[in-house]
Amino acid sequence: MEEALSSKFYITSPIYYVNDIPHIGHAYTTIIVDSLARFHRLKGDFVFFLTGTDEHGQKIEQSAQKKGQNPKDYVDCIAERFKSLWNEFEINYDYFIRTTDSTHQQSVQNAFLKMFQKGDIYKGEYEGNYCISCESFFSKSQLVNEKNCPDCGKETTLLKEESYFFKLGAYADKLLKFYDENPNFILPKSKRNEVINFVKAGLEDLSITRTSFHWGIKLPKELLENDKNNQKHVMYVWLDALINYLSALGFHNDLPNKMDFWPANYHIVGKDILRFHAVYWPAFLMSLELPLPRHIAAHGWWTKDGSKMSKSVGNVVNPKEVVEAYGLDAFRYFVLREVPFGQDGDFSQNALIERINADLSNDLGNLLNRLLGMSAKYFNNTLEADLSQLQANYNEELAQIQIILNSLESQMEEVQINRYLEELWKLFSLGNGIIAKKEPWQLIKNGKRTEVAQLLLLLANILLKAALFLSPCMPRSAEKILKVFGLSVSTEYFRRFILQGELLDSVVLKPIPVLFPRIEERLLQDPKTESETKSKDSKSAKLDPLEVANPISKDDFTKIDIRIGTIISAEILPKSEKLLKLQVDLGEARPRQILAGIKAYYTPEELLGKQVCVLANLKPAKLMGELSEGMILAAKDSNGLAFITPQNKRKDGSQIS
Ligand code: MSP
């Protein structure tokens, strides 16, 4: 990466409807925005990160009525819940906007007036179908079964009322020209055609005021003075909502003027609201004669165990509970890593646990543990090496590291955060691979201390560079890793260790507790969803149960930790008739010593380099005065004994599940 001058970076999340408490979808969008914002702060950009709540409209008016509250009390309460969740999640936003803020109302009225004065708004009569749930109008031809919403399937309401219209149709050609000239406007690129086809199919003018309910922003006073009838109009909730991106910057209101952040670099949205952001919003901005945002990036939706989340099924994932059970960074990692940006993803505890155990505990955690373990054991935590020698000996590895580091920024720019993390993880594989290849414990045995110090220092440099890049996605863990090296997440260290490629030639490591302990069982009770209950019933109706001796539950099984390991040394134990003494590499800080009763079946030589399955969480025991730290799994029949070996070579430490 090259050093660049700091620039302004404006990024927004959608503003969330306050008719519902925050769920995983809201958390997902916000975490993506937070990660991008942190990445740009790390680079030294001046960042403005906006989030907030969308508090007007018929849907919210109805939710308040159902609770017997007046709308303002109701929205105050839910807005607080969003704020407090973001605080708990350490979402580092710069401004929290509420559409009931008087400054926002000022901006919306001024924007309306400008568009009106330009001739883009006219009065007419609206007759058509409206979906209250999506706060969206549809023409007859768009409806499903002549009355249902094409987006959410709910029944629409036929409306006939006086309304102001925005001349959306007049902007169709300009929009198409803009998409054409700005191929990266819509991200991921696969969503671009959807938008273009929507515009090409023809844009009808948009009804932007409503008279059949009250919970909304009134028209500008200039319009109220001329026509008393205008008192009954309130703004269409999407016009009101989209303008939040300007009002937070002080656009024609009393807030401090930050319009130098405009145009926004990214509006991050879910796929369901892409049309509003990629069609209506640019048209409003063209009418206001303002530049258009650089990117609208739309992510996919989360389902739960394969089903759509819904309150009535009771399978809505509460992000707060997940974070309390598994930790904030594990949750952030999971949602960012699990699905390619733009695609739908499925949330399940099993998938989350697998990510924690395989990626966090194994790949990242083991590398750090091995570095800390060996540095403490061999060097009392003080590492030193001659950098030019290190560079000469690890020329190839350093080049590989550089290639990985160089690829990261563009992944982030395209909001491909899953690929960013995937690339970043290559650094941990590379580090673990170097350990497996060089076998530092053998080098130490052979008195090659300088080589081992060099190797460990290389690992320290890999981890500290990786931690800087990890910090936007997993801020707490990155801070902890950097603390090991006496560093912290900062623009200054990013400049030194990433942009200028600096390497540490000496460091005193400060040990820390294990970052990501393995998770052995689900930590949250899942409410049974309808589909689970149904599928279980239908299965049990078809199959007769088999008689199983000593049945155990799946939870019992998850307590058993079986892993792949490579036998790196084997010797006869003279005192024993049956036992061989093995050293098995499970990808940990040091190999395990395992005593196996296999002398009758294998010679030590034929065992070397073999991959085997090891029961890794067996309590250590002493046999014939020697420590045994696991059990190798084997099957025995009348033909003798055979180890269980993976069909293809697998990384040492891989878990069998
Ligand atoms: N208020 C509008 C946005 C106005 S922005 C000017 C709105 N609010 S919302 O609360 O319904 O949705 C906010 C965001 O949450 C959207 O980006 C939506 O895609 C996202 N999600 C809601 N449910 C979701 C999932 N199940 N999965 C992923 N994201 C989803 O729309």
Side-chain angles (χ1 to χ4, degrees):
M1 269 174 77
E2 283 176 20
E3 278 196 71
L5 288 176
S6 302
S7 44
K8 291 212 155 63
F9 182 81
Y10 181 29
I11 186 163
T12 68
S13 82
I15 47 172
Y16 302 107
Y17 284 133
V18 288
N19 62 328
D20 203 356
I21 58 164
H23 60 65
I24 185 176
H26 304 129
Y28 178 50
T29 321
T30 314
I31 288 171
I32 294 171
V33 179
D34 188 56
S35 302
L36 272 146
R38 285 177 187 266
F39 182 80
H40 280 269
R41 284 195 204 102
L42 191 63
K43 277 180 41 181
D45 288 342
F46 301 108
V47 173
F48 193 76
F49 164 8
L50 176 69
T51 189
T53 39
D54 192 353
E55 306 187 356
H56 289 126
Q58 197 166 4
K59 190 163 53 170
I60 287 157
E61 191 175 61
Q62 286 179 350
S63 300
Q65 267 161 10
K66 270 192 211 151
K67 295 237 160 169
Q69 281 180 294
N70 80 43
K72 184 70 173 82
D73 291 344
Y74 172 76
V75 297
D76 282 351
C77 166
I78 310 248
E80 254 335 291
R81 295 185 72 151
F82 275 93
K83 271 193 189 165
S84 84
L85 185 74
W86 301 154
N87 289 342
E88 270 174 58
F89 279 22
E90 292 171 20
I91 299 293
N92 224 339
Y93 59 80
D94 294 287
Y95 191 70
F96 190 100
I97 192 160
R98 298 182 54 186
T99 53
T100 49
D101 293 342
S102 61
T103 42
H104 170 72
Q105 310 205 24
Q106 248 183 309
S107 285
V108 175
Q109 286 167 337
N110 283 324
F112 191 101
L113 190 63
K114 277 188 171 296
M115 296 196 277
F116 180 81
Q117 284 165 344
K118 190 162 182 210
D120 277 341
I121 290 178
Y122 62 92
K123 199 181 218 175
E125 184 166 71
Y126 179 79
E127 185 174 358
N129 289 72
Y130 190 73
C131 173
I132 298 176
S133 184
C134 299
E135 298 280 15
S136 197
F137 299 98
F138 296 100
S139 63
K140 270 261 166 314
S141 62
Q142 291 173 303
L143 296 176
V144 178
N145 297 333
E146 297 192 349
K147 59 174 188 302
N148 290 68
C149 168
D151 287 346
C152 73
K154 290 191 185 141
E155 204 169 309
T156 55
T157 318
L158 187 66
L159 290 179
K160 188 174 178 180
E161 58 186 45
E162 182 186 279
S163 176
Y164 278 92
F165 285 83
F166 173 74
K167 288 183 182 166
L168 186 62
Y171 284 94
D173 290 343
K174 284 186 198 144
L175 286 169
L176 289 171
K177 185 164 175 275
F178 180 80
Y179 304 141
D180 193 44
E181 286 167 359
N182 296 276
N184 291 328
F185 175 59
I186 296 162
L187 294 174
K189 286 179 198 153
S190 54
K191 299 253 187 250
R192 191 167 165 258
N193 278 346
E194 247 171 60
V195 173
I196 293 179
N197 290 339
F198 178 82
V199 177
K200 278 191 176 156
L203 294 178
E204 287 177 20
D205 288 350
L206 190 66
S207 162
I208 52 164
T209 65
R210 302 280 312 276
T211 58
S212 55
F213 69 97
H214 308 289
W215 185 237
I217 300 179
K218 297 265 182 223
L219 298 195
K221 63 175 184 321
E222 291 77 354
L223 292 180
L224 299 181
E225 282 157 10
N226 310 343
D227 185 349
K228 279 266 148 36
N229 213 17
N230 281 338
Q231 295 279 8
K232 63 183 186 199
H233 287 256
V234 293
M235 304 258 190
Y236 172 41
V237 61
W238 270 100
L239 173 66
D240 166 351
L242 287 161
I243 288 179
N244 93 87
Y245 301 134
L246 291 174
S247 50
L249 300 181
F251 174 78
H252 294 283
N253 68 19
D254 294 336
L255 285 177
N257 190 335
K258 291 202 163 71
M259 281 300 286
D260 49 352
F261 275 99
W262 191 259
N265 297 71
Y266 293 88
H267 293 310
I268 306 287
V269 299
K271 63 178 184 181
D272 52 319
I273 57 171
L274 175 61
R275 190 188 347 131
F276 298 94
H277 284 81
V279 181
Y280 301 174
W281 181 225
F284 295 155
L285 287 165
M286 284 173 178
S287 174
L288 291 169
E289 295 173 11
L290 285 169
L292 304 199
R294 305 220 187 280
H295 306 287
I296 311 286
H299 63 70
W301 267 46
W302 284 94
T303 51
K304 172 77 204 316
D305 296 318
S307 316
K308 194 173 175 218
M309 277 185 258
S310 107
K311 271 200 249 175
S312 57
V313 178
N315 66 344
V316 177
V317 177
N318 181 341
K320 198 172 142 89
E321 279 174 15
V322 180
V323 165
E324 276 163 10
Y326 292 94
L328 179 58
D329 275 6
F331 177 67
R332 287 178 69 116
Y333 178 75
F334 177 77
V335 292
L336 294 173
R337 172 71 184 78
E338 188 68 3
V339 282
F341 186 80
Q343 290 180 23
D344 292 343
D346 189 50
F347 182 89
S348 77
Q349 285 197 71
N350 288 351
L352 171 63
I353 293 172
E354 208 170 306
R355 284 270 169 220
I356 295 176
N357 287 348
D359 301 3
L360 302 180
S361 174
N362 222 19
D363 297 340
L364 163 59
N366 271 346
L367 182 60
L368 183 64
N369 291 346
R370 291 162 126 189
L371 170 68
L372 288 171
M374 289 190 275
S375 304
K377 190 166 166 196
Y378 306 142
F379 298 100
N380 197 20
N381 291 326
T382 303
L383 300 176
E384 262 175 301
D386 181 317
L387 266 192
S388 53
Q389 272 177 20
L390 188 155
Q391 277 161 327
N393 289 343
Y394 288 101
N395 191 7
E396 218 174 277
E397 286 82 357
L398 286 167
Q400 265 175 290
I401 294 167
Q402 206 45 54
I403 291 172
I404 298 171
L405 295 176
N406 288 346
S407 72
L408 295 172
E409 185 172 15
S410 67
Q411 308 286 9
M412 195 54 105
E413 295 301 330
E414 287 180 30
V415 203
Q416 295 291 348
I417 308 186
N418 70 304
R419 287 214 208 124
Y420 173 95
L421 289 167
E422 215 175 298
E423 281 299 306
L424 193 54
W425 249 247
K426 288 187 182 161
L427 291 177
F428 306 133
S429 303
L430 197 135
N432 283 318
I434 296 174
I435 300 178
K437 190 167 131 202
K438 298 274 176 179
E439 300 187 337
W441 48 92
Q442 292 293 359
L443 294 175
I444 280 284
K445 263 195 201 161
N446 300 335
K448 299 191 171 159
R449 289 182 62 79
T450 317
E451 277 184 36
V452 177
Q454 225 174 68
L455 185 154
L456 295 181
L457 204 63
L458 175 69
L459 299 182
N461 277 296
I462 292 178
L463 271 164
L464 88 82
K465 286 175 198 267
L468 284 166
F469 273 111
L470 192 63
S471 66
C473 304
M474 301 174 70
R476 285 185 186 173
S477 313
E479 248 351 317
K480 286 185 194 161
I481 299 172
L482 287 166
K483 219 169 144 196
V484 168
F485 310 107
L487 304 172
S488 59
V489 178
S490 76
T491 305
E492 167 60 10
Y493 290 134
F494 187 79
R495 189 180 56 74
R496 274 175 51 190
F497 292 104
I498 305 297
L499 302 180
Q500 296 174 348
E502 192 176 317
L503 290 170
L504 283 182
D505 63 355
S506 70
V507 62
V508 180
L509 300 181
K510 295 175 198 65
I512 52 166
V514 170
L515 266 188
F516 296 101
R518 290 183 67 77
I519 307 279
E520 305 299 353
E521 56 194 7
R522 286 154 160 246
L523 302 174
L524 282 173
Q525 193 84 37
D526 265 337
K528 254 190 213 138
T529 63
E530 270 174 27
S531 59
E532 268 175 354
T533 324
K534 271 187 209 141
S535 68
K536 272 188 197 134
D537 291 350
S538 56
K539 269 183 212 151
S540 54
K542 278 191 214 126
L543 293 172
D544 283 340
L546 285 172
E547 284 293 327
V548 181
N550 302 324
I552 60 168
S553 69
K554 210 169 160 199
D555 284 350
D556 290 332
F557 177 69
T558 54
K559 286 186 194 143
I560 301 174
D561 184 12
I562 306 175
R563 299 210 219 159
I564 301 293
T566 301
I567 302 179
I568 54 173
S569 100
E571 56 188 274
I572 288 172
L573 205 63
K575 297 174 265 184
S576 166
E577 277 177 18
K578 287 189 187 160
L579 295 174
L580 288 183
K581 185 162 100 173
L582 311 175
Q583 302 296 328
V584 185
D585 186 356
L586 289 189
E588 297 165 315
R590 60 162 179 77
R592 290 200 189 198
Q593 175 165 294
I594 298 179
L595 302 187
I598 53 172
K599 201 167 162 184
Y601 306 97
Y602 291 99
T603 62
E605 295 71 41
E606 64 184 317
L607 290 173
L608 289 184
K610 267 212 164 56
Q611 280 206 313
V612 288
C613 298
V614 177
L615 180 58
N617 61 342
L618 187 67
K619 272 199 191 131
K622 275 208 166 164
L623 302 173
M624 311 289 291
E626 296 272 358
L627 187 67
S628 183
E629 302 170 299
M631 186 164 90
I632 297 189
L633 303 187
K636 199 169 156 187
D637 67 6
S638 54
N639 293 319
L641 176 139
F643 283 141
I644 316 292
T645 304
Q647 193 183 4
N648 299 310
K649 212 168 164 37
R650 281 288 163 266
K651 208 194 289 175
D652 288 334
S654 307
Q655 204 191 16
I656 297 177
S657 52

